[in-house]
Amino acid sequence: MSYDPPRPAGRLLLTPEDKDAPARTRRLRKLGLGERPIPALDAFADRLAGLTRAPYAMVNFLDEQGQFFAGLHRPERDVLTVDTDPDTGGGGTRREVGRRLPRDHGFCPHVVVRRKALVLEEVCDYPRFAGNPVVDEFGIRSYLGAPLIDSTQMVLGTVCVVDVVPRPWGREGLRTIKAAAAELAPRLEEDGFLL
């Protein structure tokens, strides 16, 4: 398995190169993260959505292949398309957020590489982010995310919230998302937390 770094679009690199992706993938597998939904992380995402009044909240782990939302909160009636298999008897594509995204979708890869929180109150105000596929495909207009840094100083992923309308997250939103990441990161390494 190898990590294929992103290629620049013109002069602008839309998705940052993630040199830690192979090591992160090994660390995630060692911790048992990033391959299955985890009810405790869904509950964490539910609580984060309530705190921020955002329709979507995620606990996202990034490996060499893409992004996986091990914790996910979404509205009951969703407007986004999922990654469901029509052969499972569901009759084809449903209208909801899926648990997987490619590496070049969304803003979490920027948070992971920068190792810093990212606040985008209106995504379209930033040319670097306005061209991201989630803007056109899913209608995402605002983002708030912070890195999950473990005891080895590895960024495992992010906690984030998104909305389909611009949001004035402000300093309070930044404090909230950073506090959520600081609360969750050490718990990911605790025995029994993820059961």
Side-chain angles (χ1 to χ4, degrees), residues 4-193:
D4 187 22
R7 290 173 179 63
R11 297 212 244 171
L12 189 60
L13 184 62
L14 298 179
T15 303
E17 183 175 355
D18 185 358
K19 294 178 180 162
D20 291 333
R24 178 178 313 101
T25 299
R26 289 189 299 276
R27 180 73 174 140
L28 288 169
R29 297 308 171 258
K30 182 178 179 184
L31 293 170
L33 298 170
E35 296 182 299
R36 64 184 171 83
I38 299 173
L41 297 181
D42 281 340
F44 190 89
D46 290 343
R47 188 168 62 90
L48 185 58
L51 284 171
T52 60
R53 296 180 317 282
Y56 301 94
M58 298 86 145
V59 177
N60 186 12
F61 298 114
L62 287 80
D63 64 16
E64 292 174 291
Q65 301 305 310
Q67 304 177 66
F68 182 75
F69 301 126
L72 176 62
H73 171 88
R74 56 187 170 210
E76 293 284 327
R77 297 186 58 91
D78 201 338
V79 296
L80 306 181
T81 305
V82 289
D83 48 16
T84 58
D85 182 358
D87 297 331
T88 61
T93 303
R94 295 188 330 233
R95 304 288 289 168
E96 62 182 47
V97 174
R99 289 204 181 249
R100 295 191 183 279
L101 275 181
R103 289 188 62 82
D104 65 345
H105 282 55
F107 313 106
C108 292
H110 295 271
V111 172
V112 167
V113 171
R114 292 170 16 129
R115 302 177 61 89
K116 295 184 345 187
L118 178 63
V119 178
L120 299 171
E121 295 182 342
E122 167 52 274
V123 171
C124 295
D125 286 347
Y126 302 90
R128 172 179 211 145
F129 300 115
N132 193 284
V134 299
V135 175
D136 290 334
E137 292 176 27
F138 302 133
I140 300 302
R141 294 291 299 276
S142 56
Y143 172 90
L144 181 63
L148 290 166
I149 302 174
D150 75 1
S151 64
T152 70
Q153 298 307 299
M154 174 66 66
V155 179
L156 300 174
T158 66
V159 293
C160 67
V161 295
V162 298
D163 206 331
V164 295
V165 296
R167 291 283 301 270
W169 302 111
R171 289 180 194 256
E172 185 59 33
L174 180 60
R175 275 192 294 273
T176 298
I177 203 72
K178 288 169 83 175
E183 174 190 336
L184 182 59
R187 297 176 73 192
L188 295 173
E189 298 178 86
E190 290 176 8
D191 288 337
F193 172 70

